[in-house]
Amino acid sequence: MLSQGPNIGFDVNILENYSEDPNIELSFPLPTDKDTYVDLEANEKVANTWSILQNFIKFTTGVDWDSIYHPNEYTYSINKYSSAFNTKMANYMKDRLENSDEKLDECVDSLVNQEIRLNLIQGKDYVRRFKEVKEFMVKYYTQENEKNLPKFMTRSYMRVCYLTIMSLMKKMFPNGIWCSREEFSKLHQKYLENPMSIIFLPNHQSHIDYIILHLVAIRFQLSTPTVIAGENLNVAVFGSILKGLGAIFIKRSFNNEMYTERNLANFIEFTLLNKIHFEVFIEGTRSRDGKLLLPKYGILKTLANIYIKQREEEGNDNFDMLMLPVSISYERIYEADGYLSELMGKDKVKESGATIFKNGLRHFFGGSEGLSNINEDYDNSTRHLHGKIYIKLGNFFSLSDFIESDLKSASDMDLIPGSKVNLKKLGYKVLHEINRCSFLPKISIIGAAIQTHYNLYKRQRFDIYQLVPIMRLLIEAFKEEESENIINMSLLESLSSSSDKELVEMTREQMPHFLREIKVNLKTNEIIIKDSMELLYYKNLTVHVIVHKALASFILLSLTDNMRNANILHKMFYIFTGFLKHEFLFDYDYNDKHKLSNILKSLVANGKIERVFPNPNSSRPSYKIIDYHYLNCFSEIIKPFIESYSICIYHLNNIITKFNEEHGFVDFKKLAIDDTGIDYPHTKSLFKAIQSNQDSKSLNHIESTNKQYLMSCLYYINNLQLIEIIKNKRRTKAFVLISNGKDLHFIYTFLNTLLRCSTQLGAGDDNDTINEISVGYMIDIIDKNFERDPEELVTSTENFESGKLVDVSLKSKF
């Protein structure tokens, strides 16, 4: 039943009583027997400051000013907000630049020696030139540090920022930011056992993410973290505020700059040595489509290298970090409208102080407009839509535990250059944990059901009651996978035991609050789909839970009866977990439920497929489909990702072929410096062409043309060395060259054959379907292992547009 309420397992809304009672009570009393539990040099006791502003706020509003951020600094961490600490930080960075960092001297030496080799200076000028270059670099990085590194203000500054931001957030998210008291209590207990830097590792979907953990930390008496932010946010006024709160602004890419990465590492090492908490989004950028992006390893490498240096070179045996994956789930992201435009081809709106200020005012003065007056004629076209935010802490672990356990099994093949630690395994461990603990809001389940229904039946309008069977199917599938997530299981059990009428009422209540392009007529119970792309985000909040079952379902449907044996099914599963590895976290997945053999056993046990032996003398089982509808529902969830490859390859060929016909040979050396005078196809123009093409819009899944899916496709086939992506010298464009048209052609026809057969629910002539030879050749493409002659693969010579498997030995590259 649905009577358990909307916040099962979330007992604290940090936006409630934020001024009257700033410190949320933990499930255990914080120790108070010592002034401070962090014995560090320069941990200066917090001074009580007096100012006209703070006294005005205190006496005119009744805010409990003295309780805000009271024990967080000094008592349970180092006091960052003191002149002594800021002086210590400045002196440390100054010393690293001017004296103690041998890396800077190595960089200078390399530059000066290069000038000597080029005869720009003579050897006798070495000492003079070394001094000049070093002085220049010290001055440059001193200025960069002043611009990009935090400048911690005072506790009064922190309190004013806290009250201001909390007031704004309450307007933007009137339904609250929810978390668990017990989870933060356990984190506090672990931290106090052995104080060290907590490395907050949240997923990244919104600019709001930057500030949420600061607010949570303040309320739960944790010290606020320093946080890695893109330099695009270092804009007038707003950038200064973020720096005062601990933001570290970095470039998207260091572009092989000799010392920039080391300079950043020096500052991060300083924060960790002082046990300051640290926050980094290892996805590197915001996900626009609801699911996790693959990890970026730059900051993880920095953290790991600092750990190795402190332990092995400095002899600091107690140095460590507490790694904490964090899931932040939104019922609706405030950038949702902009994301939808971006995904469908419009340029990203560049951040500026004016736009940030404008958005803040818009939400502050109109955040809850009309949400309490929804009727059958409601109009969401201009209403400010928003929902709850849910914060879940994953299982924390020390970096030392990870590294010591990994060193026993790691090989050189596992390591990223420049690191002694398996960073890929570390990154995937964090993201798998975020997926494991993430909360599934009700609207995500509703959105996934609507999207699946729409893809199955292509109806723009349908009754809510027609949605209920698919919703129940998804709920039961989620229950099978989410047994370890107690909060999700509580919600799913409640939904599972609800009547059809209750599920319909839930859908009627949820949709008007979060969806703009999908509407429900509250009088007729009719769902009206204007733009199904809006559902992409909500479906993808859930897709990680069932992606393996969806993939198995697609493969079963796309093969003929004689090809559904266990050997071929496992090969196909291997192929597609490769193809979709840029979209999903298939690597380092230790969940046995995600193994194909266990998925097949579950489908057999639930009566969806049957295990058979076509040949009485054979020991190799095959699988017969019993419930086509069930498999088709899950197949539709994964098809858009596969269809993206078909679209991307088809248009890539057409656009580049047309360009070559019109312009002939292109000098790629000139192309790299934008000196050709012609606009050779690049990623941005390719995506725009796909999204504006009418053929693309008539495809089965409009979501398959979104920018994020297409980008994943492009970079995967680049990894397969079938195309080459070349950036120009100014790094403003990424040009696309076809380097292996034959295999690219083969992939296109292979995928199209599967897509067509799965739509026909396994029907088709054997000559028009996938066979064992084509499956083997596909694996060869992925593994780059060409032991067989591709001339063997002649199965059909129908043209490229048909989508049928063709002769890959044809001389034409497309």
Side-chain angles (χ1 to χ4, degrees), residues 162-201:
Y162 166 79
L163 292 172
T164 303
I165 295 169
M166 277 294 202
S167 178
L168 175 61
M169 295 292 275
K170 191 151 189 176
K171 278 283 187 177
M172 292 178 66
F173 302 98
N175 295 321
I177 300 175
W178 294 86
C179 53
S180 164
R181 186 191 318 272
E182 184 62 29
E183 287 183 350
F184 281 92
S185 298
K186 288 179 180 178
L187 176 62
H188 243 302
Q189 285 179 313
K190 179 65 177 178
Y191 170 73
L192 289 173
E193 288 174 6
N194 180 17
M196 64 182 73
S197 294
I198 299 172
I199 312 299
F200 291 96
L201 297 157

Side-chain angles (χ1 to χ4, degrees), residues 260-355:
T260 300
E261 186 175 357
R262 177 59 169 254
N263 182 63
L264 174 63
N266 285 338
F267 181 76
I268 294 175
E269 185 171 24
F270 171 81
T271 65
L272 300 178
L273 286 170
N274 285 280
K275 302 184 180 182
I276 295 171
H277 305 323
F278 187 76
E279 179 181 354
V280 61
F281 304 98
I282 62 170
E283 293 172 276
T285 188
R286 291 170 293 161
S287 170
R288 268 66 170 173
D289 69 353
K291 58 183 173 50
L292 293 179
L293 304 176
L294 298 190
K296 300 292 190 299
Y297 302 108
I299 299 299
L300 286 184
K301 182 177 78 171
T302 298
L303 295 174
N305 287 349
I306 290 170
Y307 172 87
I308 296 294
K309 176 189 172 187
Q310 286 296 316
R311 286 289 186 109
E312 297 183 0
E313 297 177 23
E314 303 294 336
N316 190 351
D317 294 337
N318 295 321
F319 182 82
D320 212 343
M321 307 167 215
L322 190 64
M323 313 296 282
L324 177 64
V326 182
S327 168
I328 306 177
S329 302
Y330 293 80
E331 289 183 323
R332 183 175 175 91
I333 295 176
Y334 93 95
E335 301 105 323
D337 296 327
Y339 284 177
L340 194 58
S341 298
E342 276 187 58
L343 288 172
M344 294 316 294
K346 291 187 178 180
D347 292 336
K348 174 187 172 184
V349 177
K350 188 176 181 180
E351 287 86 1
S352 69
T355 56

Side-chain angles (χ1 to χ4, degrees), residues 19-31:
S19 59
E20 302 89 347
D21 188 12
N23 296 321
I24 295 171
E25 185 179 348
L26 299 173
S27 61
F28 73 99
L30 285 171

Side-chain angles (χ1 to χ4, degrees), residues 206 267 283 331 550 593 599 609 625 645 653 662 688 803:
S206 169
F267 181 76
E283 293 172 276
E331 289 183 323
K593 290 181 180 179
I599 295 170
I609 61 175
I625 297 175
Y645 276 94
N653 169 69
E662 294 178 356
K688 285 184 177 293

Side-chain angles (χ1 to χ4, degrees), residues 647-653 655-656 681-692 710 714 723 736:
I647 296 167
C648 187
I649 294 172
Y650 178 78
H651 285 87
L652 177 67
N653 169 69
I655 290 169
I656 292 179
H682 52 87
T683 53
K684 191 173 181 180
S685 62
L686 175 65
F687 296 155
K688 285 184 177 293
I690 292 174
Q691 290 165 334
S692 62
L710 293 173
L714 205 61
I723 63 171
V736 184

Side-chain angles (χ1 to χ4, degrees), residues 339-608:
Y339 284 177
L340 194 58
S341 298
E342 276 187 58
L343 288 172
M344 294 316 294
K346 291 187 178 180
D347 292 336
K348 174 187 172 184
V349 177
K350 188 176 181 180
E351 287 86 1
S352 69
T355 56
I356 292 171
F357 185 68
K358 180 180 177 181
N359 285 335
L361 288 178
R362 177 169 62 88
H363 284 284
F364 190 81
F365 291 108
S368 58
E369 173 192 350
L371 286 176
S372 61
N373 298 311
I374 293 177
N375 54 43
E376 62 193 58
D377 299 318
Y378 74 91
D379 180 8
N380 277 353
S381 60
T382 59
R383 182 180 286 123
H384 301 316
L385 305 179
H386 44 66
K388 299 182 184 71
I389 302 174
Y390 298 97
I391 301 168
K392 285 283 295 172
L393 303 186
N395 293 325
F396 41 72
F397 58 94
S398 69
L399 186 57
S400 61
D401 284 345
F402 172 82
I403 290 176
E404 288 170 12
S405 64
D406 185 59
L407 285 177
K408 298 175 183 177
S409 58
S411 67
D412 291 341
M413 294 292 292
D414 296 321
L415 301 181
I416 290 174
S419 177
K420 297 181 179 180
V421 177
N422 187 346
L423 299 178
K424 183 177 179 182
K425 185 176 181 180
L426 176 58
Y428 274 77
K429 178 180 176 69
V430 170
L431 293 180
H432 277 302
E433 181 60 19
I434 291 173
N435 266 343
R436 186 201 65 79
C437 74
S438 64
F439 179 61
L440 301 180
K442 290 178 184 177
I443 186 60
S444 69
I445 298 170
I446 294 168
I450 296 174
Q451 179 78 83
T452 304
H453 187 283
Y454 176 73
N455 286 343
L456 277 171
Y457 303 112
K458 301 298 181 291
R459 297 172 186 162
Q460 301 289 134
R461 294 170 175 262
F462 54 89
D463 191 276
I464 298 178
Y465 276 95
Q466 294 176 307
L467 185 68
V468 170
I470 288 179
M471 193 183 301
R472 289 198 182 280
L473 180 148
L474 292 177
I475 290 167
E476 294 307 313
F478 295 151
K479 281 173 59 181
E480 284 184 42
E481 301 294 332
E482 290 290 271
S483 56
E484 292 184 18
N485 190 320
I486 296 173
I487 293 179
N488 280 349
M489 280 301 292
S490 296
L491 174 61
L492 293 168
E493 290 286 0
S494 173
L495 296 177
S496 180
S497 60
S498 299
S499 66
D500 288 0
K501 182 178 179 181
E502 287 171 323
L503 291 177
V504 167
E505 284 303 313
M506 178 188 74
T507 305
R508 283 165 49 90
E509 186 274 331
Q510 292 272 305
M511 286 182 61
H513 288 278
F514 308 120
L515 301 178
R516 197 182 303 282
E517 303 296 331
I518 317 293
K519 188 176 178 180
V520 57
N521 186 311
L522 298 176
K523 184 176 182 179
T524 64
N525 276 345
E526 186 179 41
I527 292 176
I528 303 134
I529 298 178
K530 181 180 178 183
D531 186 351
S532 65
M533 273 295 294
E534 186 177 28
L535 298 168
L536 174 71
Y537 172 79
Y538 295 104
K539 184 195 83 170
N540 282 346
L541 285 182
T542 70
V543 70
H544 66 277
V545 180
I546 52 175
V547 62
H548 298 82
K549 176 177 285 190
L551 189 51
S553 298
F554 170 77
I555 292 169
L556 285 163
L557 287 172
S558 64
L559 298 174
T560 53
D561 290 343
N562 66 326
M563 287 288 288
R564 289 196 203 103
N565 61 70
N567 182 43
I568 293 297
L569 290 176
H570 277 85
K571 287 182 177 180
M572 291 288 285
F573 201 72
Y574 174 78
I575 288 169
F576 280 102
T577 51
F579 262 92
L580 300 178
K581 69 189 300 180
H582 281 204
E583 289 288 355
F584 300 100
L585 304 175
F586 289 130
D587 292 337
Y588 296 104
D589 185 354
Y590 302 114
N591 188 338
D592 283 344
K593 290 181 180 179
H594 297 162
K595 292 179 179 178
L596 179 61
S597 56
N598 290 331
I599 295 170
L600 294 173
K601 285 179 184 177
S602 174
L603 291 172
V604 170
N606 292 325
K608 309 306 177 184

